[in-house]
Amino acid sequence: MGLIGIFLSLGLLMYLAYRGINVLILAPLLALLATLMAGDLPLLATYTQVFMKALGGYVVLYFPLFLLGAIFGKVMADSGSARVIAEKIVERVGAGQAITAVVLACGVLTYGGVSLFVVAFAIYPIANALFRRADIPKRLLPATIALGSFTFTMTALPGTPAIQNAIPMPFFGTNAFAAPLLGTLAGAIMIAGGILWLNRRAAWAGGEGYGTHPRMAADSSLSDDATLPGFALAIAPVVLVILLNASFTYLVIPNMDTAYLAQPEYGATTISSVAGTWAIIVALLAAILLALALNWSRFTEVKETVNAGTMGSLLPIFNTASEVGYGAVIASLPAFAIIRDAVLGLFPDNPVASLAVAVNVLAGITGSASGGMSIALNALGEQFAQMGQAQGISMELMHRVTALSSGGFDALPHNGAVITLLGICGLTHRQSYADIFVVAVAIPVLATICVILLGSV
């Protein structure tokens, strides 16, 4: 019954989340359902001592990254910087390469720390006008934005400040630049494969053209050119994020005296466990201050921009933290030992492959890259790290494969980002999801397999 309860709970989590019920409600209720079916276990103690403890621990660890990332995204959007960067890239690449231009514009923004949701809203009006002018089917637009926002800059490219690249750091003692060559290779596979697929699909469309679509409110949002910053001012905060992240990771923090971290009041930890997080915090904070300083006169109300970004960080982090709490409860149940042993035994000689399967499956079930990865690492991260160390596997490889695996099955139809993106574009799953699946699920999974094979060799 315990095993049935776990699978029933997981199935309901996936189905009800797809039906639009918030995970803040679903996660504790379904965790307690699995607990109830497990037998004689205390429900209230499980909720307060297991679920809430794991939820709180996740918030403590990652809230600064969610907060600063959301504020930075809002500042870049409200200042017009995100739009300027997108338009300049489109101009340089050329309207004849509309798909490539949109992918690169999204990639630059997300690699620079702008939230994928902010990028989707900022890029859509530009991309839509470009697709209309080039007479490319609009149904390919969501997949094009997804390729630039949900894939290579989220999980593959070294140094990306995306939360999916930060979560593995404390588990493996790594930083945001883990396995740079393999990560870059995976990113190249995603970019090249995705653009090739979308361009082929546009060519195969024959005389379909852009199509007839009702005009969206966002379609007419390109205005007030006189108030926009120049490209140099717009791109400066993005460049600063990348440079400071690398500088603090490799130069500043390693040369700091951090012996005090061994003291109990500072968590009795080591610098390798926190260096990656510290570097991203400093980089994002400095970029926010620079973006505000360079664009101060362009904000209608700076306080409102910062407040909106702050509030925008709360739902994402508590959604993910609730999924972490759910995973902690599942991992505490006696029947989970069967699942754990099955996952760890999938590839007994290759824990990297077992880790990839575990993260992909849980990301698919939860419809969340960060949520699925967090559940997998909180439940099995220590065991995977021990197995990897015992077999002499690089922890950087473990980190990169974990991040890559979170960006595979997460983009199934019930994924919140997919649903939001289709809503922004005014299209349906039937019209556009097949291409989203290819560029955001199939090709990233292929890239992950390539990294596992090369890393194993």
Side-chain angles (χ1 to χ4, degrees), residues 13-322:
L13 178 64
M14 181 167 59
Y15 173 74
L16 294 175
Y18 179 68
R19 300 295 297 178
I21 300 178
N22 195 290
V23 74
L24 289 174
I25 297 295
L26 286 179
L29 291 179
L30 293 176
L32 294 180
L33 171 64
T35 304
L36 183 65
M37 295 184 67
D40 189 21
L41 294 174
L43 293 181
L44 289 176
T46 298
Y47 176 67
T48 60
Q49 307 307 117
V50 180
F51 182 93
M52 288 305 301
K53 183 178 179 181
L55 182 152
Y58 185 89
V59 172
V60 167
L61 194 58
Y62 295 112
F63 179 65
L65 304 187
F66 278 86
L67 174 66
L68 295 174
I71 293 175
F72 181 57
K74 185 63 175 170
V75 168
M76 291 293 288
D78 286 3
S79 67
S81 297
R83 176 185 157 191
V84 168
I85 294 169
E87 290 181 336
K88 177 60 70 172
I89 292 172
V90 168
E91 176 188 322
R92 287 297 177 92
V93 175
Q97 297 293 326
I99 290 173
T100 301
V102 172
V103 170
L104 292 179
C106 292
V108 168
L109 290 170
T110 49
Y111 188 58
V114 182
S115 159
L116 61 89
F117 292 102
V118 172
V119 170
F121 279 105
I123 291 291
Y124 168 74
I126 303 163
N128 186 55
L130 196 61
F131 270 49
R132 188 189 296 273
R133 193 181 315 142
D135 207 28
I136 296 172
K138 186 183 180 183
R139 58 183 172 80
L140 299 177
L141 183 52
T144 305
I145 295 176
L147 174 59
S149 305
F150 302 177
T151 60
F152 58 95
T153 57
M154 187 176 83
T155 64
L157 296 187
T160 176
I163 190 67
Q164 291 80 5
N165 193 38
I167 290 172
M169 295 191 299
F171 291 93
F172 302 118
T174 50
N175 59 53
F177 293 86
L181 294 180
L182 289 174
T184 302
L185 173 64
I189 292 172
M190 294 181 201
I191 297 170
I195 290 176
L196 178 62
W197 171 263
L198 291 171
N199 279 323
R200 289 290 185 185
R201 289 283 285 166
W204 292 337
E208 176 185 343
Y210 175 83
T212 303
H213 301 277
R215 202 160 188 83
M216 305 286 293
D219 291 350
S220 58
S221 64
L222 300 180
S223 58
D224 302 323
D225 288 348
T227 65
L228 294 175
F231 179 73
L233 293 184
I235 199 72
V238 172
V239 174
L240 186 65
V241 169
I242 299 168
L243 293 180
L244 281 184
N245 191 4
S247 298
F248 272 79
T249 297
Y250 290 113
L251 298 176
V252 179
I253 294 177
N255 291 307
M256 292 169 56
D257 179 10
T258 56
Y260 57 85
L261 289 174
Q263 300 173 18
E265 56 265 39
Y266 295 109
T269 188
T270 61
I271 187 60
S272 62
S273 298
V274 297
T277 303
W278 287 5
I280 296 175
I281 288 173
V282 171
L284 286 174
L285 180 58
I288 291 169
L289 295 176
L290 179 62
L292 288 173
L294 294 177
N295 299 284
W296 189 267
S297 62
R298 296 183 179 89
F299 293 103
T300 304
E301 182 62 67
V302 171
K303 178 180 69 176
E304 294 303 319
T305 293
V306 174
N307 285 348
T310 301
M311 297 306 295
S313 71
L314 298 181
L315 186 58
I317 189 170
F318 276 100
N319 276 341
T320 306
S322 293

